[in-house]
Amino acid sequence: MGEIIEILKEKKLKATPQRLAILNILNGHTHPTIEEIYEEIKKIFPSISLATIYKNINTLKDVDLITELNPGGKLKYDINLKPHFHGVCKNCGKIIDFYDEDLIKECKKTIEKKIDKEVFDLNISVSILCEDCAKA
């Protein structure tokens, strides 16, 4: 929780209970939809509106604290505490996080060299078969 509060401060955002709740849900690495986030937060804040969730999600996206993913046409969200890639199962749409700092740095450098521009954020998704689908 402390790390999230510090990052919000760095981004010059207030650590509101709603924002903290959204980020804690996203920190669970489940890549929820906005409806799933809403259902989870309503357990803590029963009177919260879906509009408040959308507003906070958009604010957090604007400062690159969360990423919006679109596997199979359904928007899902992820927290950006540590750079990582996303593996998206081509059968079921499950999203798996892959952490490899060296590979991310290498990709960033290669892209910067190719386009002759600085890359500030790298959001790469690769198509995979998850373990469950590979067994089927």
Side-chain angles (χ1 to χ4, degrees):
M1 179 69 88
E3 180 184 16
I4 291 173
I5 292 172
E6 285 303 312
I7 291 172
L8 284 170
K9 284 181 186 176
E10 286 172 19
K11 303 284 186 178
K12 296 179 179 27
L13 292 175
K14 291 182 183 176
T16 65
Q18 294 85 355
R19 282 189 189 138
L20 291 172
I22 290 169
L23 292 170
N24 279 325
I25 290 167
L26 294 175
N27 204 20
H29 301 291
T30 59
H31 307 96
T33 64
I34 202 134
E35 293 83 10
E36 291 167 335
I37 294 169
Y38 180 57
E39 290 304 316
E40 280 297 308
I41 289 184
K42 277 187 5 182
K43 294 174 186 173
I44 305 164
F45 303 102
S47 64
I48 196 165
S49 71
L50 188 55
T52 299
I53 302 298
Y54 272 104
K55 180 181 172 213
N56 278 286
I57 290 284
N58 286 326
T59 298
L60 295 168
K61 274 184 2 190
D62 288 346
V63 297
D64 296 322
L65 191 48
I66 64 172
T67 299
E68 188 175 73
L69 305 162
N70 190 2
K74 189 77 169 165
L75 293 178
K76 296 187 174 203
Y77 298 90
D78 192 21
I79 194 166
N80 289 332
L81 292 181
K82 186 176 176 188
H84 60 281
F85 295 112
H86 295 104
V88 181
C89 180
K90 67 180 189 169
N91 283 349
C92 69
K94 179 179 181 181
I95 302 170
I96 301 165
D97 292 336
F98 294 102
Y99 296 90
D100 186 328
E101 255 183 81
D102 292 335
L103 182 58
I104 290 170
K105 286 178 187 174
E106 188 178 317
C107 286
K108 185 176 180 270
K109 251 200 259 183
T110 301
I111 292 168
E112 286 176 337
K113 191 174 181 181
K114 190 86 167 169
I115 65 173
D116 195 29
K117 298 206 180 341
E118 184 177 0
V119 172
F120 298 100
D121 186 31
L122 202 58
N123 184 2
I124 295 178
S125 296
V126 294
S127 180
I128 62 167
L129 274 179
C130 71
E131 284 184 34
D132 294 335
C133 290
K135 290 177 188 174

